[in-house]
Amino acid sequence: MSRLPLGSTTSLLVLTGAGISAESGIPTFRDAGGLWEGHSMAEVASPEGFAANPQQVWRFYGERRRNMTGVTPNAAHHALVAAEKRLGDRFLLVTQNVDALHTAAGSERMIELHGNLMRTRCSVCDRPSFADTSTYNDKLPTCETCDGRGRKSLLRPDIVWFGEAINPQLMNRISRFLATASTRRTPSGYADLVFLAIGTSGNVYPAAGLVNAVRGIGGHTYLANLEESDNGYQFQETILGKASEVVPALFA
Ligand code: APR
């Protein structure tokens, strides 16, 4: 396997999905078959599901919080930290994962596109989200800041659910990174930009559209995944294998 072509001016945009954390012991969505205890993901990961049954939703996320105990980043997470140290501001990591393992590994130039499992926010008001490991088994948590129009408003996990919009500021940050990167050109006229997607099935947007955005400005695109992904045909290079082996080798 050859290394990524990273010269002294090359920018690197990395996208990660559940596959990068699989070897840390977190099952991917695909592995779960889109179901949890017989409930569809829409029931436990959508605003409608939360409105209909907040206890069930908090049970799901409480269990996911508990399952994080003792889970640590693997060699793929660490390889991305080393790459960031080398590239500095020419590096940006976008993750769809909510497991916070990139932060645990030490990544800094990072966007958590779908939120963070270990943070909680109000379902009504704009108070900032806060770090939270509680599992709320007995009582639903309520907001101390707002009154939710007469009824105590419920706190919820700081996660972007199905049907919810991604924070536009995060998308802007990615666009700015790509705009800067595309001003640097290789001798053959291509953008001096590499895109690497790791461990994602490529079917949830806007993340799945990044490969097209990068190709649109002339960057070079790589997919590192256990198997062919749904949008795999859009990548110029595909490396099949386990993230913990493939990713360190790409930066060796
Ligand atoms: N190394 C590399 N890839 C792996 C590994 C591994 N050890 N194990 C699994 N994979 C691959 C699988 O082959 C699969 O293609 O990782 C991919 C994981 O796909 P999904 O489970 O669909 O996860 P992801 O793409 O991150 O899902 C996107 O969907 O459910 C929503 O919001 C949720 O962020 C999530 C989004």
Side-chain angles (χ1 to χ4, degrees), residues 16-23 27-32 41 45 64 74 95-98 114 159-162 198-204 207 224-230 241-247:
T16 62
I20 196 171
S21 297
E23 290 160 82
T28 64
F29 301 97
R30 285 263 163 118
D31 286 343
M41 280 298 161
R64 292 185 72 191
N74 64 53
T95 187
Q96 299 167 93
N97 299 342
V98 297
H114 295 171
I159 288 188
V160 180
W161 285 329
F162 291 106
I198 305 164
T200 174
S201 54
N203 55 28
V204 173
N225 211 47
L226 197 57
E227 60 199 4
E228 191 61 57
S229 71
D230 292 348
K242 291 181 176 177
S244 70
E245 293 164 9
V246 168
V247 178

mmCIF file of all heavy atoms in Angstrom, residues 16-23 27-32 41 45 64 74 95-98 114 159-162 198-204 207 224-230 241-247, ligand 1:
data_model
loop_
_atom_site.group_PDB
_atom_site.id
_atom_site.type_symbol
_atom_site.label_atom_id
_atom_site.label_comp_id
_atom_site.label_asym_id
_atom_site.label_seq_id
_atom_site.Cartn_x
_atom_site.Cartn_y
_atom_site.Cartn_z
ATOM 1 N N THR A 16 -14.251 10.813 9.121
ATOM 2 C CA THR A 16 -14.334 9.493 9.749
ATOM 3 C C THR A 16 -15.780 9.132 10.076
ATOM 4 O O THR A 16 -16.618 9.992 10.299
ATOM 5 C CB THR A 16 -13.494 9.414 11.045
ATOM 6 O OG1 THR A 16 -13.997 10.353 11.993
ATOM 7 C CG2 THR A 16 -12.024 9.674 10.778
ATOM 8 N N GLY A 17 -16.014 7.816 10.090
ATOM 9 C CA GLY A 17 -17.315 7.288 10.474
ATOM 10 C C GLY A 17 -17.135 6.166 11.481
ATOM 11 O O GLY A 17 -16.021 5.916 11.963
ATOM 12 N N ALA A 18 -18.216 5.464 11.757
ATOM 13 C CA ALA A 18 -18.232 4.470 12.831
ATOM 14 C C ALA A 18 -17.126 3.415 12.689
ATOM 15 O O ALA A 18 -16.645 2.876 13.689
ATOM 16 C CB ALA A 18 -19.594 3.792 12.867
ATOM 17 N N GLY A 19 -16.706 3.140 11.443
ATOM 18 C CA GLY A 19 -15.698 2.093 11.219
ATOM 19 C C GLY A 19 -14.369 2.363 11.900
ATOM 20 O O GLY A 19 -13.666 1.418 12.272
ATOM 21 N N ILE A 20 -14.024 3.640 12.119
ATOM 22 C CA ILE A 20 -12.718 3.921 12.739
ATOM 23 C C ILE A 20 -12.740 3.539 14.226
ATOM 24 O O ILE A 20 -11.700 3.244 14.817
ATOM 25 C CB ILE A 20 -12.276 5.395 12.549
ATOM 26 C CG1 ILE A 20 -10.766 5.527 12.858
ATOM 27 C CG2 ILE A 20 -13.081 6.354 13.408
ATOM 28 C CD1 ILE A 20 -10.145 6.866 12.518
ATOM 29 N N SER A 21 -13.922 3.504 14.814
ATOM 30 C CA SER A 21 -14.023 3.173 16.246
ATOM 31 C C SER A 21 -14.380 1.709 16.483
ATOM 32 O O SER A 21 -14.430 1.268 17.635
ATOM 33 C CB SER A 21 -15.069 4.067 16.918
ATOM 34 O OG SER A 21 -14.685 5.427 16.848
ATOM 35 N N ALA A 22 -14.626 0.963 15.388
ATOM 36 C CA ALA A 22 -15.063 -0.439 15.550
ATOM 37 C C ALA A 22 -14.037 -1.240 16.349
ATOM 38 O O ALA A 22 -14.394 -2.013 17.240
ATOM 39 C CB ALA A 22 -15.289 -1.067 14.180
ATOM 40 N N GLU A 23 -12.747 -1.024 16.052
ATOM 41 C CA GLU A 23 -11.719 -1.816 16.747
ATOM 42 C C GLU A 23 -11.444 -1.306 18.163
ATOM 43 O O GLU A 23 -10.690 -1.931 18.904
ATOM 44 C CB GLU A 23 -10.436 -1.828 15.922
ATOM 45 C CG GLU A 23 -10.607 -2.653 14.660
ATOM 46 C CD GLU A 23 -9.569 -2.300 13.621
ATOM 47 O OE1 GLU A 23 -8.460 -2.819 13.730
ATOM 48 O OE2 GLU A 23 -9.858 -1.469 12.738
ATOM 49 N N PRO A 27 -19.748 -0.873 18.371
ATOM 50 C CA PRO A 27 -20.360 -1.438 17.165
ATOM 51 C C PRO A 27 -20.786 -0.357 16.173
ATOM 52 O O PRO A 27 -21.225 0.723 16.586
ATOM 53 C CB PRO A 27 -21.596 -2.193 17.685
ATOM 54 C CG PRO A 27 -21.629 -2.022 19.153
ATOM 55 C CD PRO A 27 -20.551 -1.080 19.571
ATOM 56 N N THR A 28 -20.634 -0.630 14.881
ATOM 57 C CA THR A 28 -21.067 0.344 13.875
ATOM 58 C C THR A 28 -22.591 0.281 13.735
ATOM 59 O O THR A 28 -23.222 -0.648 14.227
ATOM 60 C CB THR A 28 -20.434 0.041 12.500
ATOM 61 O OG1 THR A 28 -20.930 -1.228 12.059
ATOM 62 C CG2 THR A 28 -18.916 0.009 12.567
ATOM 63 N N PHE A 29 -23.163 1.279 13.065
ATOM 64 C CA PHE A 29 -24.615 1.290 12.856
ATOM 65 C C PHE A 29 -25.031 0.112 11.987
ATOM 66 O O PHE A 29 -26.044 -0.520 12.204
ATOM 67 C CB PHE A 29 -25.050 2.612 12.211
ATOM 68 C CG PHE A 29 -24.687 3.769 13.060
ATOM 69 C CD1 PHE A 29 -23.526 4.494 12.829
ATOM 70 C CD2 PHE A 29 -25.474 4.123 14.136
ATOM 71 C CE1 PHE A 29 -23.169 5.549 13.636
ATOM 72 C CE2 PHE A 29 -25.120 5.171 14.953
ATOM 73 C CZ PHE A 29 -23.964 5.882 14.700
ATOM 74 N N ARG A 30 -24.217 -0.170 10.997
ATOM 75 C CA ARG A 30 -24.481 -1.318 10.122
ATOM 76 C C ARG A 30 -24.539 -2.618 10.916
ATOM 77 O O ARG A 30 -25.407 -3.447 10.709
ATOM 78 C CB ARG A 30 -23.357 -1.429 9.083
ATOM 79 C CG ARG A 30 -23.456 -0.396 7.998
ATOM 80 C CD ARG A 30 -24.152 -1.025 6.811
ATOM 81 N NE ARG A 30 -24.629 -0.002 5.909
ATOM 82 C CZ ARG A 30 -24.217 0.118 4.659
ATOM 83 N NH1 ARG A 30 -23.313 -0.694 4.175
ATOM 84 N NH2 ARG A 30 -24.722 1.033 3.892
ATOM 85 N N ASP A 31 -23.570 -2.757 11.857
ATOM 86 C CA ASP A 31 -23.532 -3.985 12.673
ATOM 87 C C ASP A 31 -24.822 -4.135 13.461
ATOM 88 O O ASP A 31 -25.329 -5.228 13.666
ATOM 89 C CB ASP A 31 -22.350 -3.959 13.654
ATOM 90 C CG ASP A 31 -21.028 -4.196 12.942
ATOM 91 O OD1 ASP A 31 -21.074 -4.696 11.803
ATOM 92 O OD2 ASP A 31 -19.979 -3.871 13.520
ATOM 93 N N ALA A 32 -25.323 -2.991 13.939
ATOM 94 C CA ALA A 32 -26.540 -3.040 14.757
ATOM 95 C C ALA A 32 -27.771 -3.306 13.894
ATOM 96 O O ALA A 32 -28.870 -3.487 14.414
ATOM 97 C CB ALA A 32 -26.704 -1.722 15.512
ATOM 98 N N MET A 41 -33.964 2.962 14.489
ATOM 99 C CA MET A 41 -33.126 4.110 14.840
ATOM 100 C C MET A 41 -33.967 5.392 14.862
ATOM 101 O O MET A 41 -33.707 6.296 15.638
ATOM 102 C CB MET A 41 -31.964 4.251 13.861
ATOM 103 C CG MET A 41 -30.832 3.290 14.169
ATOM 104 S SD MET A 41 -30.120 3.617 15.802
ATOM 105 C CE MET A 41 -29.283 2.078 16.125
ATOM 106 N N ALA A 45 -33.552 7.991 17.663
ATOM 107 C CA ALA A 45 -32.634 9.032 17.191
ATOM 108 C C ALA A 45 -33.335 9.986 16.232
ATOM 109 O O ALA A 45 -32.841 10.267 15.138
ATOM 110 C CB ALA A 45 -31.413 8.384 16.526
ATOM 111 N N ARG A 64 -25.555 3.814 25.785
ATOM 112 C CA ARG A 64 -24.375 4.132 24.968
ATOM 113 C C ARG A 64 -23.328 4.858 25.797
ATOM 114 O O ARG A 64 -22.132 4.643 25.622
ATOM 115 C CB ARG A 64 -24.789 4.965 23.749
ATOM 116 C CG ARG A 64 -25.635 4.149 22.780
ATOM 117 C CD ARG A 64 -25.955 4.913 21.527
ATOM 118 N NE ARG A 64 -24.791 5.061 20.666
ATOM 119 C CZ ARG A 64 -24.743 5.869 19.607
ATOM 120 N NH1 ARG A 64 -25.787 6.603 19.297
ATOM 121 N NH2 ARG A 64 -23.671 5.943 18.872
ATOM 122 N N ASN A 74 -7.889 3.894 19.110
ATOM 123 C CA ASN A 74 -6.988 2.870 18.558
ATOM 124 C C ASN A 74 -5.933 3.513 17.644
ATOM 125 O O ASN A 74 -5.856 4.741 17.527
ATOM 126 C CB ASN A 74 -7.794 1.768 17.848
ATOM 127 C CG ASN A 74 -8.560 2.291 16.643
ATOM 128 O OD1 ASN A 74 -7.988 2.920 15.758
ATOM 129 N ND2 ASN A 74 -9.868 2.056 16.613
ATOM 130 N N THR A 95 -15.653 14.459 11.740
ATOM 131 C CA THR A 95 -16.129 13.127 12.147
ATOM 132 C C THR A 95 -17.640 13.092 12.260
ATOM 133 O O THR A 95 -18.269 14.064 12.678
ATOM 134 C CB THR A 95 -15.479 12.668 13.480
ATOM 135 O OG1 THR A 95 -15.867 11.304 13.700
ATOM 136 C CG2 THR A 95 -15.887 13.521 14.676
ATOM 137 N N GLN A 96 -18.189 11.950 11.854
ATOM 138 C CA GLN A 96 -19.628 11.714 12.054
ATOM 139 C C GLN A 96 -19.853 11.008 13.384
ATOM 140 O O GLN A 96 -20.988 10.784 13.791
ATOM 141 C CB GLN A 96 -20.175 10.815 10.936
ATOM 142 C CG GLN A 96 -20.032 11.413 9.566
ATOM 143 C CD GLN A 96 -20.285 10.350 8.490
ATOM 144 O OE1 GLN A 96 -21.405 10.193 8.012
ATOM 145 N NE2 GLN A 96 -19.262 9.616 8.117
ATOM 146 N N ASN A 97 -18.768 10.639 14.051
ATOM 147 C CA ASN A 97 -18.898 9.871 15.291
ATOM 148 C C ASN A 97 -19.205 10.792 16.463
ATOM 149 O O ASN A 97 -18.690 11.902 16.540
ATOM 150 C CB ASN A 97 -17.616 9.085 15.566
ATOM 151 C CG ASN A 97 -17.324 8.106 14.446
ATOM 152 O OD1 ASN A 97 -18.210 7.784 13.668
ATOM 153 N ND2 ASN A 97 -16.087 7.658 14.355
ATOM 154 N N VAL A 98 -19.984 10.269 17.391
ATOM 155 C CA VAL A 98 -20.324 11.045 18.588
ATOM 156 C C VAL A 98 -19.579 10.500 19.802
ATOM 157 O O VAL A 98 -19.828 10.918 20.925
ATOM 158 C CB VAL A 98 -21.851 11.036 18.840
ATOM 159 C CG1 VAL A 98 -22.588 11.701 17.688
ATOM 160 C CG2 VAL A 98 -22.372 9.621 19.062
ATOM 161 N N HIS A 114 -21.980 15.391 13.918
ATOM 162 C CA HIS A 114 -23.238 14.851 14.453
ATOM 163 C C HIS A 114 -23.354 14.996 15.967
ATOM 164 O O HIS A 114 -24.200 14.359 16.580
ATOM 165 C CB HIS A 114 -23.393 13.377 14.055
ATOM 166 C CG HIS A 114 -23.542 13.180 12.570
ATOM 167 N ND1 HIS A 114 -23.521 11.954 11.947
ATOM 168 C CD2 HIS A 114 -23.711 14.092 11.562
ATOM 169 C CE1 HIS A 114 -23.687 12.104 10.639
ATOM 170 N NE2 HIS A 114 -23.792 13.384 10.376
ATOM 171 N N ILE A 159 -26.836 15.619 20.252
ATOM 172 C CA ILE A 159 -26.589 14.799 19.065
ATOM 173 C C ILE A 159 -27.512 15.260 17.954
ATOM 174 O O ILE A 159 -28.659 15.642 18.216
ATOM 175 C CB ILE A 159 -26.829 13.311 19.417
ATOM 176 C CG1 ILE A 159 -25.679 12.841 20.311
ATOM 177 C CG2 ILE A 159 -26.994 12.448 18.180
ATOM 178 C CD1 ILE A 159 -25.622 11.403 20.600
ATOM 179 N N VAL A 160 -26.998 15.264 16.730
ATOM 180 C CA VAL A 160 -27.840 15.620 15.583
ATOM 181 C C VAL A 160 -28.611 14.364 15.168
ATOM 182 O O VAL A 160 -28.010 13.372 14.756
ATOM 183 C CB VAL A 160 -26.974 16.137 14.406
ATOM 184 C CG1 VAL A 160 -27.861 16.508 13.223
ATOM 185 C CG2 VAL A 160 -26.139 17.330 14.843
ATOM 186 N N TRP A 161 -29.913 14.415 15.310
ATOM 187 C CA TRP A 161 -30.740 13.245 15.002
ATOM 188 C C TRP A 161 -31.185 13.266 13.542
ATOM 189 O O TRP A 161 -31.082 14.284 12.842
ATOM 190 C CB TRP A 161 -31.973 13.244 15.910
ATOM 191 C CG TRP A 161 -31.673 12.823 17.321
ATOM 192 C CD1 TRP A 161 -30.707 11.942 17.719
ATOM 193 C CD2 TRP A 161 -32.354 13.240 18.517
ATOM 194 N NE1 TRP A 161 -30.759 11.791 19.083
ATOM 195 C CE2 TRP A 161 -31.751 12.566 19.607
ATOM 196 C CE3 TRP A 161 -33.420 14.099 18.776
ATOM 197 C CZ2 TRP A 161 -32.172 12.723 20.917
ATOM 198 C CZ3 TRP A 161 -33.845 14.262 20.089
ATOM 199 C CH2 TRP A 161 -33.221 13.577 21.147
ATOM 200 N N PHE A 162 -31.709 12.127 13.104
ATOM 201 C CA PHE A 162 -32.260 12.038 11.750
ATOM 202 C C PHE A 162 -33.316 13.125 11.572
ATOM 203 O O PHE A 162 -34.152 13.342 12.458
ATOM 204 C CB PHE A 162 -32.889 10.660 11.508
ATOM 205 C CG PHE A 162 -31.868 9.553 11.439
ATOM 206 C CD1 PHE A 162 -31.727 8.661 12.481
ATOM 207 C CD2 PHE A 162 -31.029 9.440 10.344
ATOM 208 C CE1 PHE A 162 -30.776 7.653 12.431
ATOM 209 C CE2 PHE A 162 -30.071 8.434 10.281
ATOM 210 C CZ PHE A 162 -29.945 7.542 11.325
ATOM 211 N N ILE A 198 -12.608 7.523 6.122
ATOM 212 C CA ILE A 198 -12.251 6.291 6.847
ATOM 213 C C ILE A 198 -13.486 5.723 7.548
ATOM 214 O O ILE A 198 -14.154 6.420 8.320
ATOM 215 C CB ILE A 198 -11.186 6.589 7.944
ATOM 216 C CG1 ILE A 198 -9.964 7.272 7.353
ATOM 217 C CG2 ILE A 198 -10.795 5.296 8.667
ATOM 218 C CD1 ILE A 198 -9.067 7.928 8.414
ATOM 219 N N GLY A 199 -13.784 4.456 7.286
ATOM 220 C CA GLY A 199 -14.789 3.742 8.073
ATOM 221 C C GLY A 199 -16.183 4.324 8.022
ATOM 222 O O GLY A 199 -16.847 4.453 9.040
ATOM 223 N N THR A 200 -16.633 4.670 6.826
ATOM 224 C CA THR A 200 -17.998 5.200 6.707
ATOM 225 C C THR A 200 -18.696 4.577 5.509
ATOM 226 O O THR A 200 -18.085 4.399 4.456
ATOM 227 C CB THR A 200 -18.003 6.746 6.627
ATOM 228 O OG1 THR A 200 -19.339 7.189 6.365
ATOM 229 C CG2 THR A 200 -17.058 7.290 5.584
ATOM 230 N N SER A 201 -19.985 4.266 5.690
ATOM 231 C CA SER A 201 -20.703 3.584 4.614
ATOM 232 C C SER A 201 -21.139 4.555 3.525
ATOM 233 O O SER A 201 -21.649 4.141 2.492
ATOM 234 C CB SER A 201 -21.910 2.831 5.178
ATOM 235 O OG SER A 201 -22.710 3.701 5.933
ATOM 236 N N GLY A 202 -20.956 5.847 3.755
ATOM 237 C CA GLY A 202 -21.165 6.827 2.682
ATOM 238 C C GLY A 202 -22.608 6.985 2.259
ATOM 239 O O GLY A 202 -22.889 7.219 1.076
ATOM 240 N N ASN A 203 -23.525 6.888 3.193
ATOM 241 C CA ASN A 203 -24.918 7.102 2.784
ATOM 242 C C ASN A 203 -25.648 8.155 3.602
ATOM 243 O O ASN A 203 -26.859 8.324 3.466
ATOM 244 C CB ASN A 203 -25.718 5.776 2.762
ATOM 245 C CG ASN A 203 -25.641 5.058 4.082
ATOM 246 O OD1 ASN A 203 -25.475 5.708 5.119
ATOM 247 N ND2 ASN A 203 -25.722 3.742 4.070
ATOM 248 N N VAL A 204 -24.929 8.868 4.480
ATOM 249 C CA VAL A 204 -25.586 9.930 5.248
ATOM 250 C C VAL A 204 -24.979 11.279 4.847
ATOM 251 O O VAL A 204 -23.759 11.479 4.937
ATOM 252 C CB VAL A 204 -25.451 9.684 6.770
ATOM 253 C CG1 VAL A 204 -25.986 10.859 7.561
ATOM 254 C CG2 VAL A 204 -26.211 8.415 7.167
ATOM 255 N N ALA A 207 -22.145 14.577 4.987
ATOM 256 C CA ALA A 207 -20.797 13.999 5.002
ATOM 257 C C ALA A 207 -20.498 13.212 3.725
ATOM 258 O O ALA A 207 -19.403 13.311 3.150
ATOM 259 C CB ALA A 207 -20.630 13.105 6.230
ATOM 260 N N ALA A 224 -10.657 4.590 2.861
ATOM 261 C CA ALA A 224 -10.101 3.466 3.616
ATOM 262 C C ALA A 224 -11.242 2.855 4.408
ATOM 263 O O ALA A 224 -11.743 3.458 5.358
ATOM 264 C CB ALA A 224 -9.001 3.954 4.560
ATOM 265 N N ASN A 225 -11.688 1.677 3.996
ATOM 266 C CA ASN A 225 -12.881 1.069 4.607
ATOM 267 C C ASN A 225 -12.738 -0.444 4.591
ATOM 268 O O ASN A 225 -11.991 -0.996 3.786
ATOM 269 C CB ASN A 225 -14.119 1.485 3.789
ATOM 270 C CG ASN A 225 -15.374 1.588 4.624
ATOM 271 O OD1 ASN A 225 -15.340 2.191 5.704
ATOM 272 N ND2 ASN A 225 -16.460 1.002 4.168
ATOM 273 N N LEU A 226 -13.478 -1.084 5.488
ATOM 274 C CA LEU A 226 -13.408 -2.547 5.561
ATOM 275 C C LEU A 226 -13.954 -3.180 4.289
ATOM 276 O O LEU A 226 -13.475 -4.211 3.830
ATOM 277 C CB LEU A 226 -14.219 -3.020 6.775
ATOM 278 C CG LEU A 226 -13.971 -4.435 7.271
ATOM 279 C CD1 LEU A 226 -12.507 -4.652 7.612
ATOM 280 C CD2 LEU A 226 -14.837 -4.706 8.497
ATOM 281 N N GLU A 227 -14.968 -2.562 3.724
ATOM 282 C CA GLU A 227 -15.587 -3.100 2.506
ATOM 283 C C GLU A 227 -15.935 -1.917 1.591
ATOM 284 O O GLU A 227 -15.866 -0.769 2.017
ATOM 285 C CB GLU A 227 -16.872 -3.861 2.873
ATOM 286 C CG GLU A 227 -17.869 -2.946 3.547
ATOM 287 C CD GLU A 227 -18.950 -3.648 4.355
ATOM 288 O OE1 GLU A 227 -18.914 -4.877 4.476
ATOM 289 O OE2 GLU A 227 -19.827 -2.925 4.851
ATOM 290 N N GLU A 228 -16.310 -2.212 0.376
ATOM 291 C CA GLU A 228 -16.720 -1.150 -0.556
ATOM 292 C C GLU A 228 -17.891 -0.377 0.061
ATOM 293 O O GLU A 228 -18.828 -0.985 0.586
ATOM 294 C CB GLU A 228 -17.146 -1.788 -1.886
ATOM 295 C CG GLU A 228 -17.351 -0.812 -3.009
ATOM 296 C CD GLU A 228 -16.099 -0.023 -3.385
ATOM 297 O OE1 GLU A 228 -15.076 -0.615 -3.723
ATOM 298 O OE2 GLU A 228 -16.176 1.224 -3.333
ATOM 299 N N SER A 229 -17.823 0.960 0.043
ATOM 300 C CA SER A 229 -18.912 1.732 0.652
ATOM 301 C C SER A 229 -19.947 2.103 -0.413
ATOM 302 O O SER A 229 -19.711 1.905 -1.607
ATOM 303 C CB SER A 229 -18.355 2.998 1.313
ATOM 304 O OG SER A 229 -17.945 3.896 0.318
ATOM 305 N N ASP A 230 -21.090 2.654 0.036
ATOM 306 C CA ASP A 230 -22.169 2.959 -0.908
ATOM 307 C C ASP A 230 -21.759 4.003 -1.942
ATOM 308 O O ASP A 230 -22.262 4.009 -3.056
ATOM 309 C CB ASP A 230 -23.419 3.429 -0.150
ATOM 310 C CG ASP A 230 -24.027 2.287 0.655
ATOM 311 O OD1 ASP A 230 -23.613 1.130 0.427
ATOM 312 O OD2 ASP A 230 -24.889 2.545 1.510
ATOM 313 N N GLY A 241 -9.596 -2.657 4.156
ATOM 314 C CA GLY A 241 -8.911 -3.265 5.292
ATOM 315 C C GLY A 241 -9.364 -2.611 6.570
ATOM 316 O O GLY A 241 -10.239 -1.744 6.580
ATOM 317 N N LYS A 242 -8.751 -3.062 7.678
ATOM 318 C CA LYS A 242 -9.106 -2.519 8.991
ATOM 319 C C LYS A 242 -8.447 -1.171 9.197
ATOM 320 O O LYS A 242 -7.239 -1.015 8.937
ATOM 321 C CB LYS A 242 -8.629 -3.465 10.087
ATOM 322 C CG LYS A 242 -9.367 -4.762 10.151
ATOM 323 C CD LYS A 242 -8.797 -5.567 11.303
ATOM 324 C CE LYS A 242 -9.561 -6.861 11.478
ATOM 325 N NZ LYS A 242 -8.976 -7.677 12.551
ATOM 326 N N ALA A 243 -9.199 -0.238 9.747
ATOM 327 C CA ALA A 243 -8.686 1.115 9.941
ATOM 328 C C ALA A 243 -7.393 1.120 10.762
ATOM 329 O O ALA A 243 -6.459 1.867 10.452
ATOM 330 C CB ALA A 243 -9.750 1.977 10.628
ATOM 331 N N SER A 244 -7.321 0.282 11.796
ATOM 332 C CA SER A 244 -6.144 0.320 12.683
ATOM 333 C C SER A 244 -4.872 -0.106 11.961
ATOM 334 O O SER A 244 -3.767 0.192 12.410
ATOM 335 C CB SER A 244 -6.356 -0.574 13.902
ATOM 336 O OG SER A 244 -6.346 -1.920 13.497
ATOM 337 N N GLU A 245 -5.030 -0.815 10.834
ATOM 338 C CA GLU A 245 -3.850 -1.217 10.058
ATOM 339 C C GLU A 245 -3.627 -0.283 8.874
ATOM 340 O O GLU A 245 -2.517 0.162 8.615
ATOM 341 C CB GLU A 245 -4.025 -2.660 9.562
ATOM 342 C CG GLU A 245 -4.031 -3.662 10.706
ATOM 343 C CD GLU A 245 -4.586 -5.036 10.315
ATOM 344 O OE1 GLU A 245 -4.814 -5.278 9.111
ATOM 345 O OE2 GLU A 245 -4.806 -5.847 11.244
ATOM 346 N N VAL A 246 -4.714 0.014 8.161
ATOM 347 C CA VAL A 246 -4.606 0.791 6.930
ATOM 348 C C VAL A 246 -4.191 2.242 7.203
ATOM 349 O O VAL A 246 -3.317 2.791 6.526
ATOM 350 C CB VAL A 246 -5.958 0.752 6.160
ATOM 351 C CG1 VAL A 246 -5.970 1.767 5.043
ATOM 352 C CG2 VAL A 246 -6.232 -0.647 5.641
ATOM 353 N N VAL A 247 -4.820 2.866 8.199
ATOM 354 C CA VAL A 247 -4.594 4.309 8.400
ATOM 355 C C VAL A 247 -3.138 4.598 8.807
ATOM 356 O O VAL A 247 -2.492 5.451 8.185
ATOM 357 C CB VAL A 247 -5.627 4.914 9.380
ATOM 358 C CG1 VAL A 247 -5.370 6.389 9.614
ATOM 359 C CG2 VAL A 247 -7.047 4.706 8.835
HETATM 360 N N1 APR B 1 -12.062 -0.518 9.717
HETATM 361 C C1 APR B 1 -12.538 0.218 8.678
HETATM 362 N N2 APR B 1 -13.832 0.235 8.324
HETATM 363 C C2 APR B 1 -14.685 -0.495 9.066
HETATM 364 C C3 APR B 1 -14.275 -1.271 10.162
HETATM 365 C C4 APR B 1 -12.884 -1.270 10.480
HETATM 366 N N3 APR B 1 -12.391 -1.976 11.500
HETATM 367 N N4 APR B 1 -15.367 -1.878 10.688
HETATM 368 C C5 APR B 1 -16.414 -1.499 9.944
HETATM 369 N N5 APR B 1 -16.014 -0.662 8.963
HETATM 370 C C6 APR B 1 -16.828 0.010 7.933
HETATM 371 C C7 APR B 1 -18.033 -0.778 7.500
HETATM 372 O O1 APR B 1 -17.684 -1.636 6.429
HETATM 373 C C8 APR B 1 -19.013 0.313 7.073
HETATM 374 O O2 APR B 1 -18.885 0.613 5.695
HETATM 375 O O3 APR B 1 -17.322 1.197 8.500
HETATM 376 C C9 APR B 1 -18.558 1.542 7.877
HETATM 377 C C10 APR B 1 -19.520 1.968 8.964
HETATM 378 O O4 APR B 1 -20.725 2.374 8.397
HETATM 379 P P1 APR B 1 -21.960 2.860 9.276
HETATM 380 O O5 APR B 1 -22.195 1.884 10.385
HETATM 381 O O6 APR B 1 -23.093 3.132 8.345
HETATM 382 O O7 APR B 1 -21.440 4.213 9.971
HETATM 383 P P2 APR B 1 -21.330 5.695 9.415
HETATM 384 O O8 APR B 1 -21.010 5.728 7.961
HETATM 385 O O9 APR B 1 -20.432 6.408 10.356
HETATM 386 O O10 APR B 1 -22.812 6.225 9.636
HETATM 387 C C11 APR B 1 -23.086 7.567 9.324
HETATM 388 O O11 APR B 1 -25.344 7.405 10.122
HETATM 389 O O12 APR B 1 -26.616 6.424 11.796
HETATM 390 C C12 APR B 1 -26.109 7.616 11.312
HETATM 391 O O13 APR B 1 -25.570 9.626 12.446
HETATM 392 C C13 APR B 1 -25.210 8.260 12.329
HETATM 393 O O14 APR B 1 -22.996 9.182 12.105
HETATM 394 C C14 APR B 1 -23.835 8.123 11.711
HETATM 395 C C15 APR B 1 -24.143 8.133 10.237
#
